[in-house]
Amino acid sequence: MDVLTDNLDDFAAGLWVTTRLVGAAFLVAVVLGTLVAALRVSESRPLRSVGGLYVETFRNVPLLVLLFITFPGLRRGGVDINAWTAGIIALGLYTSAYVAEVLRSGVAAVSQGQREAGLSLGFGQVAVLRRIVLPQAFRTVIGPLGSITIAMIKNSAIVGASIVALDDILKEARVVNSATFQTTEAFFWAAVCYLLLTLTATAAFRGLEARYAIRR
Amino acid sequence: MRRKRPIVLLWLCVLALVLGACGGDDEEGGGGGGGGAAATPAAEVEQYPASTTMGKIQAKKQITIGVKYDVPPFGFKNPRSNAIEGFDIDFGKAVAAKLGVKPRFVEAISDNRIPFIMDGTVDLVLSTMTINPERAEEIGFTDPYFIAKGRILQKKGGGITGVEDLAGKKVCTVLGSTYEETLKEQAPDAELTLVDTYSECLESIQNGSVEAVSTDDVILTGMIIQDDSLELVKGEELTTEPYGGGFKKGDREFREFLNGVLDEYETSGAWAKAYQKWLGQYTGEKQEPPTETLSDALEAAA
């Protein structure tokens, strides 16, 4: 317990950094994931291929490699990117591929009749997608989106451990460990901090599910 | 999923290329080879009682030593031969030769070397580790086998003239090293970037995401050897860092044995030879083997 109370500042600072990191990356992931999912279900074959290439790229490149590309890679290429932006972009892009795949399956679950009815009422392709299909798709995939969010919170530890070196929960736990040598306690409290975030996410998605989910 | 195929094929090609590039590395074999006489077991070596650490190592016929893989010129993987080389490695080979066993070098980064000693992953750590009282609570130390000095590295013309100029600047050092504390005390307003390895600090100063690196002068010298657009900040050193070998706390016989090997290493001229080979020829400076004992080092740090 001493390890936590003596280093409360460090753990709190780490928790705040991780919270901001995953919050921003979640926004990036949902916005980009939705756009890519729209490409993936579009009528046009080239657009579908672009979406497919995006998903396969960011799903198959390890997060650690993405971090190397977005931080030292871009900097060496002359882009003056800072650690925060690089971390958010890498984690957001990586997660967006999974969001896109889940949304695509949600779109597939919306019956074709809905789309046809929308089109025959005079909505355009984009409007049908935006106003009729995607809202229902989102409501179908709240559960899987929750899983992706939890995975992203845990993946965020890689951002602090990599060369991007943000002072997140895991980093602060390692700083505490190197000062106190209380390995078990330091990492136990790090796990508790991550649990705080993942359980909050779980509760939030449970709430959304109870309110909006469509059961078929 | 007909249209996915080209993408999968593309990735397979990339994978094949990457694997192909990696395949070439194994040719010359890993390990600490190339050490010549030091690595071959001598004909007559003293046999130690089986109950001692030395006896156990002799029974295993090899000593596992935790070293740095990325800190030239102390411990690094030679990119051409793949062998682990450096000042620490030469001393490790001398220890192994004294026991008549083969040295096995494993990578021990600053953050995991003390756990490695405590859980028995390694018998000995020789990885640019500074002797200090906090660590001496956890592990046993040999007498200092090298004295390094804390300095600051910057890009040439970076405008830093001393530790007080670090305020508000991004400074890289390694998590779990003594500089974490030193910098927090001497440059409280510096923005620390803590990474796992010194090679990440080198990358960070090269790509400009940090403005300075602070650690032992010898490690910084290693970075200048790799990139001569970097320079040491002149002026007073931040700290003196006596390096000691680390082993399980309380193993008195092993400590006496290691200190004996060190004494012989220093008096026989092997220390001076290793110094010239790994440091002297690059810095043009001369240094005598340390005469301090472990307790001197601990007192100075307290």
Side-chain angles (χ1 to χ4, degrees):
Chain A
M1 208 60 193
D2 284 355
V3 173
L4 179 67
T5 47
D6 292 351
N7 301 287
L8 204 54
D9 289 358
D10 294 308
F11 282 108
L15 186 61
W16 179 228
V17 167
T18 299
T19 308
R20 281 185 294 163
L21 172 64
V22 297
F26 181 77
L27 282 181
V28 173
V30 169
V31 170
L32 283 179
T34 310
L35 290 176
V36 173
L39 291 178
R40 291 278 269 160
V41 299
S42 100
E43 295 286 293
S44 133
R45 206 191 150 111
L47 286 186
R48 283 205 308 263
S49 312
V50 169
L53 188 67
Y54 180 96
V55 168
E56 295 311 333
T57 304
F58 289 110
R59 204 167 54 164
N60 291 309
V61 175
L63 179 54
L64 194 55
V65 175
L66 271 184
L67 287 163
F68 267 101
I69 295 170
T70 57
F71 195 42
L74 284 183
R75 288 198 67 92
R76 280 186 179 250
V79 183
D80 188 18
I81 194 169
N82 69 26
W84 270 101
T85 319
I88 289 166
I89 289 177
L91 189 59
L93 288 178
Y94 181 77
T95 311
S96 69
Y98 292 88
V99 172
E101 277 304 88
V102 161
L103 271 181
R104 188 171 64 95
S105 76
V107 168
V110 177
S111 106
Q112 193 66 9
Q114 298 268 343
R115 205 179 69 87
E116 283 160 6
L119 289 175
S120 63
L121 284 171
F123 285 97
Q125 290 281 2
V126 174
V128 164
L129 197 61
R130 194 163 75 85
R131 299 193 178 273
I132 299 170
V133 178
L134 274 180
Q136 296 186 71
F138 262 112
R139 296 170 70 170
T140 319
V141 298
I142 293 173
L145 276 181
S147 300
I148 290 175
T149 307
I150 288 168
M152 185 190 68
I153 292 170
K154 293 184 291 180
N155 286 340
S156 75
I158 299 176
V159 179
S162 73
I163 194 165
V164 177
L166 289 181
D167 297 325
D168 65 352
I169 296 171
L170 184 64
K171 171 66 64 64
E172 293 293 354
R174 293 171 66 203
V175 168
V176 169
N177 178 40
S178 82
T180 63
F181 298 105
Q182 302 295 311
T183 310
T184 317
E185 279 102 306
F187 289 109
F188 174 79
W189 293 115
V192 170
C193 288
Y194 280 107
L195 266 181
L196 276 178
L197 290 179
T198 51
L199 291 180
T200 308
T202 307
F205 276 94
R206 282 255 169 80
L208 286 175
E209 216 170 353
R211 224 173 134 183
Y212 295 111
I214 303 171
R215 288 185 186 81
R216 290 194 174 86
Chain B
M1 286 284 106
R2 189 168 38 88
R3 84 195 130 78
K4 229 183 197 174
R5 246 228 195 103
I7 298 162
V8 173
L9 276 179
L10 178 74
W11 278 111
L12 284 179
C13 287
V14 172
L15 203 64
L17 278 175
V18 171
L19 286 177
C22 297
D25 286 353
D26 283 333
E27 284 152 21
E28 286 180 63
T40 26
E44 72 252 42
V45 285
E46 193 181 339
Q47 286 300 315
Y48 291 88
S51 64
T52 62
T53 307
M54 294 79 85
K56 284 175 197 147
I57 291 168
Q58 285 180 327
K60 282 188 298 181
K61 295 199 169 57
Q62 74 172 11
I63 179 168
T64 307
I65 305 175
V67 297
K68 293 276 170 70
Y69 272 27
D70 68 333
V71 186
F74 271 72
F76 63 100
K77 204 167 188 173
N78 185 319
R80 287 216 185 80
S81 65
N82 246 3
I84 314 301
E85 298 176 351
F87 189 92
D88 283 344
I89 278 68
D90 281 0
F91 183 49
K93 281 176 184 164
V95 173
K98 193 80 187 162
L99 289 166
V101 298
K102 260 178 58 184
R104 186 169 78 94
F105 295 107
V106 298
E107 184 173 17
I109 61 173
S110 298
D111 198 34
N112 70 14
R113 57 195 172 186
I114 289 175
F116 269 12
I117 294 171
M118 300 211 276
D119 67 19
T121 307
V122 298
D123 300 307
L124 172 66
V125 158
L126 295 171
S127 71
T128 63
M129 179 159 62
T130 303
I131 296 169
N132 69 27
E134 294 81 34
R135 286 175 181 162
E137 294 276 304
E138 308 294 320
I139 57 168
F141 274 114
T142 64
D143 287 334
Y145 67 87
F146 191 87
I147 311 280
K149 294 179 177 71
R151 302 275 292 270
I152 299 161
L153 179 84
Q154 65 176 346
K155 278 196 174 151
K156 269 184 187 156
I160 297 169
T161 56
V163 69
E164 56 291 336
D165 290 342
L166 293 181
K169 293 218 161 65
K170 285 208 173 88
V171 186
C172 186
T173 196
V174 163
L175 181 68
S177 75
T178 47
Y179 289 87
E180 218 188 295
E181 268 319 297
T182 306
L183 287 170
K184 276 176 196 164
E185 280 161 20
Q186 300 196 20
D189 296 324
E191 217 181 301
L192 287 192
T193 297
L194 298 171
V195 294
D196 277 336
T197 58
Y198 291 108
S199 45
E200 285 170 291
C201 275
L202 176 60
E203 167 61 38
S204 298
I205 193 168
Q206 284 178 328
N207 75 37
S209 62
V210 302
E211 288 147 290
V213 179
S214 180
T215 186
D216 299 350
D217 54 352
V218 288
I219 297 172
L220 298 176
T221 304
M223 295 184 186
I224 296 171
I225 294 171
Q226 294 176 66
D227 181 349
D228 58 13
S229 74
L230 304 171
E231 67 175 8
L232 285 177
V233 172
K234 304 262 184 304
E236 220 171 298
E237 57 249 21
L238 283 69
T239 52
T240 341
E241 307 279 338
Y243 289 172
F247 50 87
K248 262 204 182 115
K249 189 175 163 65
D251 194 341
R252 240 187 50 222
E253 288 146 337
F254 196 39
R255 189 182 71 204
E256 272 160 28
F257 163 77
L258 289 169
N259 283 341
V261 178
L262 177 60
D263 276 345
E264 206 183 303
Y265 194 69
E266 290 175 352
T267 49
S268 70
W271 191 97
K273 238 172 82 186
Y275 179 84
Q276 182 55 28
K277 176 174 162 199
W278 296 114
L279 291 149
Q281 63 163 319
Y282 300 109
T283 59
E285 289 171 16
K286 284 224 180 327
Q287 199 166 323
E288 293 296 313
T291 51
E292 289 182 43
T293 63
L294 175 60
S295 37
D296 294 339
L298 285 173
E299 260 169 49

